[in-house]
Amino acid sequence: MPQVSSNNTNQESPKPWKGMSKGRPPKHDYNGDDFYDEVFFLAFNGANDAEIASAMGLSDNTFNQMKNGEYEHWQDEKGKAHTERLVKVLARARRRILQAIKGKPSE
């Protein structure tokens, strides 16, 4: 039987994620304007929720959870503000589409 050399010193290798929050980093900066501007642009150009989610690199389920206040990472006050902003952006874009169709000036 071959002899196996053991260099194990019972020390764990350093974990690069130690001290970092769990999970992967968010795909977008939800505190800035870029995410919401892109959602507005897509919605104003007629994209439905599934198309917006896909364009933003999110699953339909995640986007719907974000929109409905059910997204697990948006359960604090800051997250609730993100949900409110997302809903308002979608509503504003779709309202402007209807105004354009009806020939009314946008707000």
Side-chain angles (χ1 to χ4, degrees):
M1 183 166 177
Q3 224 177 12
V4 177
S5 169
S6 175
N7 291 332
N8 186 356
T9 60
N10 290 333
Q11 293 180 352
E12 291 185 29
S13 61
K15 295 181 172 92
W17 60 86
K18 189 174 184 177
M20 296 174 65
S21 63
K22 292 183 180 180
R24 63 179 170 214
K27 291 186 178 190
H28 304 281
D29 174 12
Y30 302 111
N31 296 315
D33 293 331
D34 291 346
F35 173 77
Y36 303 98
D37 290 347
E38 184 68 16
V39 168
F40 178 87
F41 175 80
L42 292 164
F44 183 73
N45 285 289
N48 63 32
D49 288 353
E51 292 167 331
I52 293 170
S54 177
M56 301 303 290
L58 302 168
S59 72
D60 293 352
N61 187 50
T62 296
F63 188 75
N64 284 322
Q65 287 175 345
M66 289 174 159
K67 192 175 73 168
N68 296 320
E70 300 167 354
Y71 185 51
E72 67 179 317
H73 301 293
W74 284 7
Q75 294 305 309
D76 59 3
E77 289 304 312
K78 195 178 225 182
K80 290 176 185 175
H82 295 323
T83 293
E84 279 184 37
R85 186 172 182 192
L86 179 59
V87 169
K88 286 179 182 179
V89 164
L90 289 167
R92 188 175 78 237
R94 291 171 178 159
R95 188 172 54 248
R96 288 195 180 172
I97 290 172
L98 292 174
Q99 290 169 341
I101 291 169
K102 293 179 181 181
K104 295 181 181 178
S106 61
E107 298 172 13

